[in-house]
Amino acid sequence: MLPVTKRSLLIFPLLLTLIIFLHACARSTAKAPDSAAVAPPIPQGPVVLVCEVDCVAVEPEAIGLSLTLAPLIRRDLFCVRQLSILPEEDSAVSGKPFFVGTRGIKRIGSALGADIVTVGLLKMQVDTVSVELLAYDVSAERLLFNSVVEGKRTAFYKLEKQLVEQFLEKMAIELQDEERARIYSHRPKDFSALLTYGLGLLNEKKGKDADALMAYQKALMDDEKMVLPYAAQARSFMRLSAPEKAMESYEKAVTKDPFFAEAWYRLNLYAAQRKDDEKALDCCLKALEVAPRFGKAKLSFGTRLHDLGRLQEAIEETKSAATILKVDPLPSYNLGLYYLEAGDAQAARGWFEQALRRAPDFELARAELVKLNQR
C-alpha cells in the first residue's frame, strides 16, 4: 500500500499483506454495483456487531452449523444501506457472548464501537433446528429484539432470512426493492454443503487450516451457489502463506456474488498494495455502493482519493469514516496527515489528539504531535 505522505503512514498495518487481487467481472441476476466517480450518499443508521452464534451441543455438526450463522447474517445486513456492519475481522469476541448478560454486551459493544450487538444460540435436534437471536442497544443497555425461529434443518437458509427480516422490522427499517433483491440474490440450498462449510469453520478455529480448506472446497463443489466459503478459504490461504490463492478466492466470491461488500473491500486493499490506485478506487466504490456505511471501506476510499491527488475529497470521506469508526484511531490520524499536507497545522493537531484519545498507545499520532510542538 502506498504511504499517505512521505512520512511513511501505514494505513492498515495488520492488513497490508492480506489480499492479492485478480479482478473479474461480476455476474448476477440482480443488477451489479456500478462504479461511480464519487461514493454514494450515506444514510444515517447504527453500527451493528453480529457476534458468533453460540451452541450448547458438543456434536461437531451442531457447533459448525452455529458458526455459519453470523457470516450469513452479516452478508445480508451489509446489503442494507442504512446500517453499518462491522466486518468479520472486527467481530471476533472471546467466550460465549450469548451468556454474558447486558453488562457484558455493553462492554463488548463499547470496545468495538458498536451501537447494537446481536448474539444468538443454536439448538439442533435430529431433524429440526432452532435459533434464538437477541439484539442489544449498547448505550441504553436494553434488549431491543428477541426472536426464536424453528424449523426443519434443511430449511436453515429460510430460517436465517426470517431472522434478518424480523430484526430489520424491529429496527423500523423498510427495505427498498433493490436492497431486498440483493439480500435474496444469495440463495444457496444444499444443507449438507452448509454443514461441510461449518465443519471447515470449526477446523479453522482449531488452527487446522489444511482440514478447513478441504471442507471449504467440498462445500463449494457440493453447492455451486455458495459464496461465503470463498472468504473463509482466503483466510486459510493467507495463514498458509498463499496470498495469490487467497486473492483467487475473493475474485470468485465477487464473481458469484457482486454484493459481497467485504470481498470488494479486500480486493481494494490488494490493488492498492500493487500501486494500482484506479483499480483500488473502483473496488472501494463497489463495496460502498452495496454498503455506503462500511466504515473501513470509507477509510480506504479516503486513502485512494489521496493517492490520486484528490486531497479535499479524501478529507471529506475520511471524516465520514471517523464518524462511523468510533473507536478506531486510524481515520483521525490520517486526517491529521491530510491537514498537515493542506497546510492547516491547527486542524492537524486536533485530529492527532483525537487519535490519541481513541488509542492512548498510538505512537504514530504521538510522534506527529511531538513534531508539531517542536515547530
Side-chain angles (χ1 to χ4, degrees):
M1 180 179 293
L2 289 176
V4 169
T5 69
K6 294 181 180 179
R7 304 167 187 269
S8 298
L9 166 63
L10 298 179
I11 298 294
F12 296 99
L14 298 179
L15 294 175
L16 286 177
T17 59
L18 179 62
I19 307 303
I20 302 295
F21 177 74
L22 295 171
H23 188 60
C25 296
R27 295 177 300 198
S28 174
T29 54
K31 184 180 178 182
D34 180 29
S35 297
V38 295
I42 308 176
Q44 293 302 307
V47 177
V48 180
L49 167 64
V50 181
C51 289
E52 186 178 283
V53 171
D54 292 318
C55 178
V56 294
V58 296
E59 296 84 0
E61 280 194 349
I63 298 171
L65 186 62
S66 71
L67 295 176
T68 70
L69 196 51
L72 286 166
I73 292 173
R74 269 197 301 272
R75 183 270 167 203
D76 288 349
L77 291 183
F78 260 115
C79 295
V80 182
R81 294 168 61 81
Q82 187 173 334
L83 299 177
S84 176
I85 310 302
L86 292 178
E88 181 272 333
E89 71 265 22
D90 294 335
S91 301
V93 176
S94 61
K96 292 185 173 292
F98 184 85
F99 299 102
V100 300
T102 304
R103 290 185 180 179
I105 293 295
K106 181 178 181 179
R107 287 195 297 270
I108 291 170
S110 298
L112 295 175
D115 302 306
I116 295 171
V117 177
T118 73
V119 297
L121 181 67
L122 180 142
K123 298 178 182 178
M124 190 166 75
Q125 305 297 326
V126 176
D127 296 316
T128 63
V129 63
S130 68
V131 180
E132 182 177 7
L133 189 70
L134 311 179
Y136 288 88
D137 183 319
V138 173
S139 60
E141 295 186 55
R142 66 185 181 92
L143 181 65
L144 286 175
F145 171 78
N146 184 359
S147 179
V148 179
V149 295
E150 184 173 2
K152 292 183 178 180
R153 300 197 312 171
T154 53
F156 190 78
Y157 288 115
K158 182 178 179 181
L159 298 179
E160 181 267 332
K161 289 290 193 288
Q162 287 178 10
L163 287 171
V164 169
E165 292 271 8
Q166 290 173 14
F167 171 74
L168 294 174
E169 182 180 356
K170 186 64 178 180
M171 295 294 298
I173 294 176
E174 185 175 348
L175 289 175
Q176 299 178 7
D177 290 343
E178 185 177 35
E179 292 172 316
R180 187 177 300 279
R182 290 177 175 184
I183 288 174
Y184 282 91
S185 69
H186 180 236
R187 301 185 71 93
K189 296 180 179 180
D190 192 306
F191 181 70
S192 63
L194 182 68
L195 287 177
T196 303
Y197 167 47
L199 291 175
L201 293 172
L202 183 57
N203 279 319
E204 184 181 345
K205 284 177 70 72
K206 295 178 178 179
K208 300 178 179 180
D209 285 303
D211 292 338
L213 281 171
M214 287 190 292
Y216 298 145
Q217 188 58 40
K218 186 177 188 308
L220 291 166
M221 291 175 62
D222 290 345
D223 188 347
E224 63 179 11
K225 294 185 178 297
M226 292 196 81
V227 172
L228 295 177
Y230 285 121
Q233 194 178 62
R235 293 194 302 267
S236 290
F237 278 136
M238 286 306 304
R239 282 190 293 270
L240 294 172
S241 301
E244 292 286 348
K245 291 185 177 180
M247 205 57 231
E248 290 174 7
S249 294
Y250 282 123
E251 175 192 302
K252 291 173 182 176
V254 296
T255 299
K256 277 191 178 182
D257 181 8
F259 311 118
F260 196 173
E262 291 185 79
W264 283 118
Y265 165 67
R266 284 167 171 76
L267 292 174
N268 133 75
L269 293 177
Y270 170 75
Q273 189 180 4
R274 290 294 183 91
K275 301 183 181 181
D276 190 342
D277 293 329
E278 291 288 352
K279 186 161 286 187
L281 184 72
D282 180 71
C283 292
C284 245
L285 284 166
K286 283 184 167 69
L288 290 167
E289 201 280 330
V290 177
R293 284 183 55 78
F294 188 170
K296 283 195 169 179
K298 293 289 289 182
L299 175 60
S300 192
F301 184 46
T303 308
R304 303 289 82 77
L305 290 169
H306 175 273
D307 292 345
L308 292 168
R310 296 158 63 178
L311 180 59
Q312 190 56 45
E313 292 172 88
I315 289 173
E316 294 306 314
E317 293 299 333
T318 309
K319 283 182 178 179
S320 295
T323 300
I324 297 168
L325 301 172
K326 296 179 236 183
V327 298
D328 191 337
L330 286 175
S332 302
Y333 176 62
N334 287 7
L335 282 165
L337 291 175
Y338 296 160
Y339 274 106
L340 277 180
E341 188 173 335
D344 190 340
Q346 183 176 356
R349 180 185 300 275
W351 286 109
F352 290 138
E353 289 173 347
Q354 178 171 298
L356 284 173
R357 287 194 297 272
R358 292 183 173 191
D361 295 331
F362 192 44
E363 293 302 324
L364 290 173
R366 192 180 308 280
E368 292 298 335
L369 282 173
V370 170
K371 292 176 186 177
L372 282 173
N373 291 333
Q374 291 174 344
R375 288 187 174 186

